Amino acid sequence: DAGITQSPRYKITETGRQVTLMCHQTWSHSYMFWYRQDLGHGLRLIYYSAAADITDKGEVPDGYVVSRSKTENFPLTLESATRSQTSVYFCASREGGAYEQYFGPGTRLTVT
Amino acid sequence: AQSVSQHNHHVILSEAASLELGCNYSYGGTVNLFWYVQYPGQHLQLLLKYFSGDPLVKGIKGFEAEFIKSKFSFNLRKPSVQWSDTAEYFCAVRGGTYKYIFGTGTRLKVLA
């Protein structure tokens, strides 16, 4: 199906474990983004990517790693999960010449 | 620093009531402005956007917003809300190529 998908949709993990959240888009959008959504904070940008192999930090990058070897995929890895990383994570993408973003369905991550 | 303020965190209305949600931003340059809606359990969807031109922007589902440059505001309005408008609403500002700043959101509950 066309669009932007995220997997898993729900994940429970333990403190200290490595977790990877997947994001896949079928539009060949140049730009991709990872946000976390927390009560009282709205959405905060973790990392973004302007193209394959080009990534940069957003507002809250500590504890996260991204890669973008292919245009359509933008995985987010929590190297050693902490309870403070319990959140809902949204992936988004947009075309190069447009400014509106399209969001995925989100991943609800719980770190115990 | 760039910021977006949504002053109403929770709003409760009866069906057919009029809605106005406030959004103020802090950014000195040219901005693109957005309102997104997140229905319960779903991802963010674009309601409307302002790039330039007519400061009164019409979006989907009967929503509109007015950009008032002198007040740094982009308030969302709807003349008559429906129960199905129950959702969380986010104002966002694009103040740079990659930088999107989201407000903390307003939770709207419409009573049938």
Side-chain angles (χ1 to χ4, degrees), chain A residues 9 31 33 35 37 39-43 45 48-50 59 90 94 98-106, chain B residues 32 34 36 38 41-46 49 51 88 90 94 96-105 107:
Chain A
R9 295 293 312 280
Y31 295 93
F33 307 82
Y35 293 89
Q37 183 183 27
L39 200 62
H41 290 279
L43 276 78
L45 182 64
Y48 58 90
S49 169
E59 184 184 354
F90 286 99
R94 71 168 177 89
Y99 298 128
E100 57 193 85
Q101 297 177 77
Y102 295 87
F103 285 83
Chain B
N32 303 132
F34 307 85
Y36 283 88
Q38 185 178 27
Q42 297 188 26
H43 61 283
L44 276 79
Q45 303 170 41
L46 183 68
K49 61 190 177 189
F51 289 169
E88 190 160 16
F90 292 92
R94 189 190 76 91
T97 306
Y98 309 122
K99 198 158 189 177
Y100 294 77
I101 307 296
F102 283 80
T104 53
R107 291 193 171 187

Side-chain angles (χ1 to χ4, degrees), chain A residues 2-88:
Chain A
I4 183 165
T5 57
Q6 293 182 236
S7 61
R9 295 293 312 280
Y10 303 91
K11 176 76 176 176
I12 300 174
T13 191
E14 295 177 342
T15 301
R17 291 195 180 268
Q18 183 180 79
V19 177
T20 295
L21 310 183
M22 304 301 294
C23 177
H24 175 80
Q25 51 105 355
T26 60
W27 295 304
S28 299
H29 285 172
S30 300
Y31 295 93
M32 296 188 75
F33 307 82
W34 273 107
Y35 293 89
R36 59 177 291 174
Q37 183 183 27
D38 303 291
L39 200 62
H41 290 279
L43 276 78
R44 291 181 291 175
L45 182 64
I46 305 171
Y47 268 95
Y48 58 90
S49 169
D53 297 322
I54 301 175
T55 63
D56 207 346
K57 297 177 181 179
E59 184 184 354
V60 288
D62 293 344
Y64 303 94
V65 174
V66 293
S67 62
R68 192 153 177 223
S69 57
K70 293 183 178 181
T71 299
E72 60 267 29
N73 297 324
F74 191 39
L76 175 74
T77 297
L78 287 67
E79 294 184 295
S80 178
T82 65
R83 289 195 182 90
S84 64
Q85 292 176 310
T86 291
S87 186
V88 180

Side-chain angles (χ1 to χ4, degrees), chain B:
Chain B
Q2 299 170 15
S3 64
V4 175
S5 297
Q6 292 182 245
H7 305 295
N8 314 104
H9 299 295
H10 292 90
V11 174
I12 301 175
L13 295 172
S14 298
E15 274 194 316
S18 64
L19 170 72
E20 181 160 3
L21 301 182
C23 173
N24 288 91
Y25 66 92
S26 170
Y27 184 72
T30 301
V31 294
N32 303 132
L33 299 158
F34 307 85
W35 275 97
Y36 283 88
V37 61
Q38 185 178 27
Y39 297 104
Q42 297 188 26
H43 61 283
L44 276 79
Q45 303 170 41
L46 183 68
L47 263 183
L48 48 79
K49 61 190 177 189
Y50 172 80
F51 289 169
S52 64
D54 189 344
L56 185 61
V57 179
K58 294 193 184 299
I60 61 171
K61 305 188 179 186
F63 286 91
E64 64 179 32
E66 185 176 12
F67 170 54
I68 304 179
K69 190 175 181 180
S70 61
K71 294 185 178 181
F72 297 91
S73 70
F74 190 55
N75 292 354
L76 180 71
R77 301 194 291 247
K78 187 171 184 178
S80 176
V81 294
Q82 301 173 323
W83 178 80
S84 58
D85 293 324
T86 294
E88 190 160 16
Y89 293 81
F90 292 92
C91 181
V93 172
R94 189 190 76 91
T97 306
Y98 309 122
K99 198 158 189 177
Y100 294 77
I101 307 296
F102 283 80
T104 53
T106 297
R107 291 193 171 187
L108 171 66
K109 185 178 176 84
V110 180
L111 304 175

